[in-house]
Amino acid sequence: MKQFNYEFTSVDEVSKALGQVFNYTIKNPYRSILFHLYSIYFDDEKIRQVQDAILEMYPNACIGGTSSNGDICDGHLADYGMVMAVSVFESTDTEVYLLECPENGEALVGEKVKEIIDATENIKAAEILITLKSINSHIILNTVEKCRKDVKIFGGGSADKVISGTDTCVMNEDKVCHAGVLFVTYAGDELCVDIRHAIGWKPLGKDLTVTKIDGKRLYELDDVPAADIYSKYLDIHADDDFFSNMLEFPIMTTQHGKHVLRLPFSCESSDGSINLAADIDKGTKVNLSYGDPDVIKGDVAELTQHVRNFAPQAIFLYSCGVRRLYWKYLINKETGPFSQIAPVSGFYSSGEIMRMDDYLIEHHVTLIAISMREGGRAKAQPTGDGDRHIEMSEEQKIHGQISMVRRLANFINVTAAELRAANDELQQMADTDALTGLYNRRVVDTIIREAVSHFVSFDFDVVLGIIDIDDFKVINDTYGHAEGDKVLVGISDMLRNHVASQNKAIIGRWGGEEFLFVIPRMSVAEGISYMDKVRKEIEATVFGDAGHCTVSIGLTEFKNDDTADDVFGRADEALYEAKRTGKNKICSQ
């Protein structure tokens, strides 16, 4: 296999490049020749001129290509125009198919691609270039992945020169198609293909659930408009700058156990929905994510070393346009090192496609490296200046750094506030009774024991009482537990209003139908007078189907040298006396 890569800024440069390829092929026999065309700038007419020039010299050539968000030639970002990558195979057969996709025709296109793969003799790999913005790639890829499992599949989504744009196309030897699939088969005994990827984006800790989505339109996360999530956590708002501000913060999800990123392309301010580059299933757990430069560099360095160990004769890099915008003037540092291994070409895409295990997954914000060779490991073929310098102003550099830090700081502040609120809620749940909202027995017991141990320093009266709902078992047995709960809640609300209104007083649910209260600065006599008014108000109240209910109350006061058990015991004895002597009364000890 021999690889030639050329970058053009005008069609006039094509014939010179073809002449160099011709000089090689006239001297070296080959089985097939494949021209990849990646174009960020050439329009349909200029693309057709390049197609005609190739076919004039190579009438039987295979041609396949796509519009792009940037072209890669020998490891660097090419000037605006087109990259032509020429693969001369000694023993591999290649075929190119362009399948136009009519409206709602995705299933038939996917089935056709699958049939071609399964019918191609000795096939080793298949490449799919697809107009992701104009057709439903999910349907196509779900069908294609059912093909034979021994075929390696890779590809990418056609892109516009503006990453959020929708004017994209794929092309073969004589057509330019704006809604379809360009499909290449690679077949041969000696062909070896390796496909690996690098991401480098990390999840921001908070899990979110997709609660409303329709196709690629994401409406809600955690029942909140998707745009509001970006606004709340990252201070990114649903305005004209939405896309440029959120590029560094795509949505991360998991498909078949693999991390996959989903890129929001635009936002609808009217309903807070977000248009994604690919769909996500409802109920899926997702995270916002961010690009960590050190992690990205580490992942790409690992990928580069893997490609180096494979020792290819040609490398194709299909990388998301978001990565180019993320790295800005440093983008060649990501792709350049590959040029020290073998000739490198590729493009910046709107989506990256690769088979992982048995599944065909559409990635975003991902770099895919496709390594090819015929036969054994090849000697390194360093080419060109992969790490070509790109100019960028200091203001642009600083702005990007400040933007990332500010948004991450916003996320940390918001999630920290949510964590504090969640902890407060958990503490509230731990301290209160779930039905009545009063303190639970554990809290009341702790407070009373601490109060008794310090009583000698209070220098004022403290009264403690236990309240029991009379004949509560009869209420449950007669009217059911739901009505019994209503009685408990109603009486709890009345006790809270009266007891908690006293300075420093507390009240809690002590047992099933029992309540315990403590009122400082009140004697037993005052307590009997005050609580008898409460008892009478309860007696006069109608509690739903259960009707009128009564309570019995046992009172006592703190005494010197009391233990907590002493106080509880006297109050319990007083309550027992009230129950034994007729109920609906107050007794004291």
Side-chain angles (χ1 to χ4, degrees):
M1 178 180 183
K2 181 67 175 178
Q3 185 72 17
F4 300 89
N5 298 321
Y6 302 96
E7 56 180 301
F8 311 130
T9 55
S10 77
V11 177
D12 296 338
E13 302 170 52
V14 175
S15 43
K16 180 181 177 181
L18 288 173
Q20 292 177 358
V21 176
F22 184 78
N23 287 337
Y24 174 83
T25 57
I26 200 70
K27 300 173 185 176
N28 298 276
Y30 63 93
R31 188 173 184 90
S32 66
I33 185 167
L34 172 64
F35 290 80
H36 276 99
L37 304 179
Y38 309 113
S39 178
I40 186 175
Y41 183 74
F42 284 10
D43 58 20
D44 290 10
E45 179 57 35
K46 289 183 178 179
I47 291 171
R48 290 189 181 95
Q49 291 177 36
V50 176
Q51 293 168 324
D52 292 342
I54 294 171
L55 293 175
E56 184 176 355
M57 185 166 287
Y58 292 98
N60 297 319
C62 294
I63 302 175
T66 177
S67 60
S68 76
N69 183 246
D71 309 322
I72 301 170
C73 184
D74 288 332
H76 64 260
L77 179 65
D79 291 333
Y80 273 20
M82 172 182 281
V83 164
M84 182 176 74
V86 188
S87 304
V88 182
F89 292 99
E90 297 173 5
S91 59
T92 300
D93 290 313
T94 58
E95 292 290 342
V96 174
Y97 306 85
L98 197 157
L99 306 177
E100 296 188 65
C101 184
E103 187 175 356
N104 299 319
E106 287 86 352
L108 290 176
V109 170
E111 188 61 38
K112 181 63 175 177
V113 174
K114 175 184 173 298
E115 290 175 0
I116 293 171
I117 291 175
D118 289 339
T120 300
E121 186 177 350
N122 207 20
I123 185 171
K124 293 296 180 64
E127 176 179 5
I128 297 176
L129 301 176
I130 183 170
T131 57
L132 295 179
K133 302 291 187 68
S134 58
I135 60 179
N136 190 325
S137 58
H138 184 75
I139 296 174
I140 294 174
L141 298 179
N142 277 359
T143 303
V144 174
E145 76 177 12
K146 298 180 176 66
C147 71
R148 45 190 288 190
K149 304 302 182 185
D150 60 335
V151 179
K152 296 184 177 180
I153 301 177
F154 65 92
S158 59
D160 195 342
K161 55 181 174 290
V162 178
I163 188 61
S164 59
T166 58
D167 184 15
T168 73
C169 67
V170 291
M171 63 206 73
N172 65 351
E173 71 279 358
D174 58 1
K175 291 181 181 177
V176 178
C177 173
H178 293 267
V181 173
L182 190 286
F183 177 51
V184 184
T185 58
Y186 299 82
D189 289 331
E190 296 185 347
L191 180 66
C192 299
V193 179
D194 181 76
I195 305 166
R196 291 291 188 276
H197 78 301
I199 298 179
W201 263 249
K202 297 174 63 176
L204 288 166
K206 183 178 177 62
D207 287 338
L208 303 164
T209 302
V210 177
T211 49
K212 184 178 180 182
I213 190 167
D214 182 10
K216 298 180 183 180
R217 177 73 66 85
L218 174 62
Y219 286 93
E220 293 178 358
L221 293 168
D222 285 351
D223 297 314
V224 175
D228 290 354
I229 295 293
Y230 273 93
S231 175
K232 175 181 180 181
Y233 290 107
L234 295 171
D235 196 28
I236 296 173
H237 303 285
D239 54 26
D240 292 341
D241 296 323
F242 175 80
F243 180 75
S244 59
N245 286 331
M246 57 62 55
L247 282 174
E248 297 158 329
F249 303 97
I251 292 172
M252 178 174 281
T253 182
T254 302
Q255 287 190 9
H256 311 298
K258 313 292 185 183
H259 281 315
V260 179
L261 296 175
R262 287 287 174 259
L263 182 65
F265 273 118
S266 61
C267 181
E268 299 293 335
S269 58
S270 60
D271 59 10
S273 64
I274 289 174
N275 294 309
L276 300 175
D279 51 4
I280 306 174
D281 292 334
K282 183 179 179 181
T284 300
K285 294 289 185 182
V286 301
N287 302 92
L288 301 179
S289 68
Y290 74 102
D292 184 317
D294 289 335
V295 175
I296 297 172
K297 288 189 289 186
D299 280 6
V300 173
E302 185 178 332
L303 176 61
T304 305
Q305 185 58 49
H306 178 87
V307 172
R308 182 176 289 110
N309 293 340
F310 182 78
Q313 294 168 312
I315 302 168
F316 296 91
L317 297 180
Y318 291 174
S319 182
C320 185
V322 171
R323 297 180 80 93
R324 182 174 75 85
L325 295 176
Y326 175 85
W327 282 117
K328 301 180 177 69
Y329 68 103
L330 296 173
I331 185 58
N332 289 341
K333 293 189 178 297
E334 177 165 283
T335 57
F338 292 94
S339 67
Q340 301 304 309
I341 304 170
V344 181
S345 62
F347 75 107
Y348 288 97
S349 65
S350 62
E352 303 74 55
I353 299 166
M354 66 181 295
R355 187 172 227 168
M356 304 182 75
D357 300 326
D358 292 337
Y359 304 101
L360 198 51
I361 295 178
E362 179 184 329
H363 291 270
H364 297 275
V365 200
T366 300
L367 169 65
I368 294 179
I370 304 101
S371 303
M372 289 189 183
R373 68 170 193 253
E374 288 181 307
R377 299 174 76 249
K379 293 177 64 175
Q381 304 174 62
T383 59
D385 180 17
D387 191 10
R388 181 181 294 181
H389 179 68
I390 300 176
E391 290 293 338
M392 187 177 188
S393 69
E394 290 299 318
E395 182 182 355
Q396 289 173 307
K397 299 177 188 177
I398 294 172
H399 177 268
Q401 295 166 356
I402 292 175
S403 175
M404 169 69 85
V405 171
R406 180 175 68 82
R407 298 194 193 286
L408 289 178
N410 188 84
F411 181 87
I412 291 169
N413 290 335
V414 172
T415 52
E418 288 183 336
L419 181 60
R420 288 192 296 270
N423 286 336
D424 291 344
E425 184 176 352
L426 288 173
Q427 186 62 52
Q428 178 73 9
M429 292 171 62
D431 291 348
T432 57
D433 173 63
L435 177 64
T436 64
L438 300 176
Y439 284 125
N440 59 32
R441 179 168 184 144
R442 176 186 61 81
V443 174
V444 174
D445 183 82
T446 300
I447 293 174
I448 300 303
R449 290 184 184 280
E450 290 179 354
V452 169
S453 67
H454 295 91
F455 172 66
V456 292
S457 64
F458 287 173
D459 195 27
F460 53 73
D461 294 328
V462 180
V463 66
L464 179 146
I466 301 177
I467 304 169
D468 183 272
I469 301 175
D470 295 328
D471 303 315
F472 186 70
K473 184 177 184 300
V474 175
I475 294 173
N476 276 335
D477 291 345
T478 304
Y479 302 103
H481 287 278
E483 288 300 317
D485 286 348
K486 291 179 182 178
V487 172
L488 284 169
V489 171
I491 291 178
S492 297
D493 290 343
M494 297 174 71
L495 294 174
R496 181 188 293 107
N497 291 336
H498 288 286
V499 175
S501 66
Q502 300 299 304
N503 187 34
K504 304 296 185 181
I506 66 165
I507 184 165
R509 188 176 179 187
W510 191 243
E513 65 269 24
E514 287 186 339
F515 305 88
L516 186 144
F517 65 89
V518 174
I519 305 177
R521 304 183 186 280
M522 183 177 282
S523 66
V524 167
E526 292 171 329
I528 291 173
S529 175
Y530 183 74
M531 293 305 298
D532 200 51
K533 296 176 184 177
V534 178
R535 179 192 63 78
K536 290 178 180 177
E537 183 176 329
I538 292 172
E539 181 182 16
T541 301
V542 176
F543 296 93
D545 293 344
H548 292 279
C549 301
T550 62
V551 297
S552 298
I553 304 174
L555 282 179
T556 191
E557 62 183 351
F558 285 17
K559 299 177 182 179
N560 288 331
D561 301 323
D562 264 345
T563 66
D565 291 337
D566 293 335
V567 180
F568 290 144
R570 289 198 304 273
D572 198 51
E573 288 176 7
L575 176 64
Y576 177 73
E577 181 181 352
K579 303 288 279 188
R580 183 177 59 80
T581 59
K583 305 176 184 178
N584 191 24
K585 63 169 60 176
I586 301 176
C587 292
S588 64
Q589 286 279 346

